[in-house]
Amino acid sequence: MPSHAQRALLLVDIQNDFMPGGALAVPDGDAVVPVANALIPKFDLVVATRDFHPPGHESFASQHEGKAPGEIIDLHGLEQVLWPDHCVQGTPGSELVDALDTDAITAVFPKGTDPSVDSYSGFFDNGQRHDTGLGDWLKERDVESVWVLGVATDYCVKFTALDAAKLGFRTFLVEDGVRGVNLQEGDDARAIEAMKAAGVLVTTSDAVPAG
Ligand code: VGL
Ligand code: ZN
């Protein structure tokens, strides 16, 4: 019998392409790895999301004549920031970071696999149509609270935490365990404000209780 009020650690997109030197490098992104490794032993359930795009994904600037990364387009009715090609299925850039303690990860949820829609959240695509199964997976295991860290604060971390809160999980953001892309200066701070406004509880890794 599963016991009640489980908690889960949610590791967002800790992948090579988001690390310094990667295709979509998040400044100081590798700083999240030791924070993740320190928290993993405190959780029975550790879940990772993985950005996992087919080649030619429509979020890539390379697929739009004359467009550069960072530009914004309308993609099938949704506002889309264009990105460099990144986290392409089968490439080393799409792999979880080697230094991450992946042995302790219970399940990995890929996202962004539909070429026509981006997926910042680990729960749903940006059109809120396709469900990755993460929400049900957590609920089936009686998870009531989730602790979120990873990259990037202003994209996948933000939308994963917002959806977690919306789905009714008590959602904590581990602030020292996230880093932002910051296309515009201050995007990461604004993302944290938006999460707070939606009821996400902002905390730090040293405040995460054991077991
Ligand atoms: C991400 C932009 C594009 C992220 C993924 O992991 O935050 N950002 N794809
Ligand atoms: Zn992506």
Side-chain angles (χ1 to χ4, degrees):
M1 276 275 285
S3 57
H4 290 294
Q6 295 291 317
R7 16 170 247 160
L9 183 64
L10 202 41
L11 306 174
V12 178
D13 295 6
I14 306 181
Q15 294 167 260
N16 293 324
D17 269 345
F18 297 123
M19 298 294 117
L24 206 176
V26 174
D28 201 29
D30 50 343
V32 310
V33 178
V35 180
N37 285 341
L39 289 187
I40 284 170
K42 295 187 171 188
F43 287 82
D44 290 331
L45 292 173
V46 181
V47 182
T49 66
R50 186 178 180 198
D51 210 36
F52 204 51
H53 300 305
H57 194 272
E58 290 181 53
S59 71
F60 298 167
S62 62
Q63 302 306 302
H64 304 274
E65 187 77 44
K67 297 287 180 191
E71 288 189 51
I72 295 170
I73 64 162
D74 177 297
L75 185 62
H76 311 297
L78 295 176
E79 187 177 287
Q80 176 68 51
V81 179
L82 294 177
W83 301 109
D85 289 22
H86 65 278
C87 298
V88 174
Q89 295 170 11
T91 66
S94 75
E95 300 290 336
L96 296 181
V97 170
D98 257 342
L100 184 65
D101 182 11
T102 48
D103 288 351
I105 296 174
T106 325
V108 179
F109 287 83
K111 62 187 178 62
T113 56
D114 178 340
S116 67
V117 63
D118 213 351
S119 189
Y120 294 146
S121 162
F123 293 93
F124 303 100
D125 66 72
N126 293 3
Q128 303 271 319
R129 284 181 287 259
H130 175 77
D131 181 333
T132 62
L134 174 56
D136 285 344
W137 191 95
L138 293 168
K139 288 189 173 164
E140 281 159 13
R141 285 160 182 78
D142 294 317
V143 171
E144 289 185 0
S145 58
V146 297
W147 305 71
V148 181
L149 62 82
V151 288
T153 314
D154 34 2
Y155 292 95
C156 293
V157 168
K158 173 184 170 184
F159 289 99
T160 298
L162 290 178
D163 278 344
K166 218 181 285 178
L167 288 170
F169 298 105
R170 186 169 166 80
T171 304
F172 296 87
L173 178 79
V174 182
E175 195 171 10
D176 53 319
V178 297
R179 291 294 184 281
V181 181
N182 286 317
L183 285 181
Q184 309 286 336
E185 197 188 320
D187 279 352
D188 55 353
R190 283 186 290 275
I192 290 172
E193 287 313 307
M195 288 183 259
K196 275 187 189 163
V200 174
L201 303 161
V202 178
T203 187
T204 53
S205 58
D206 57 7
V208 178

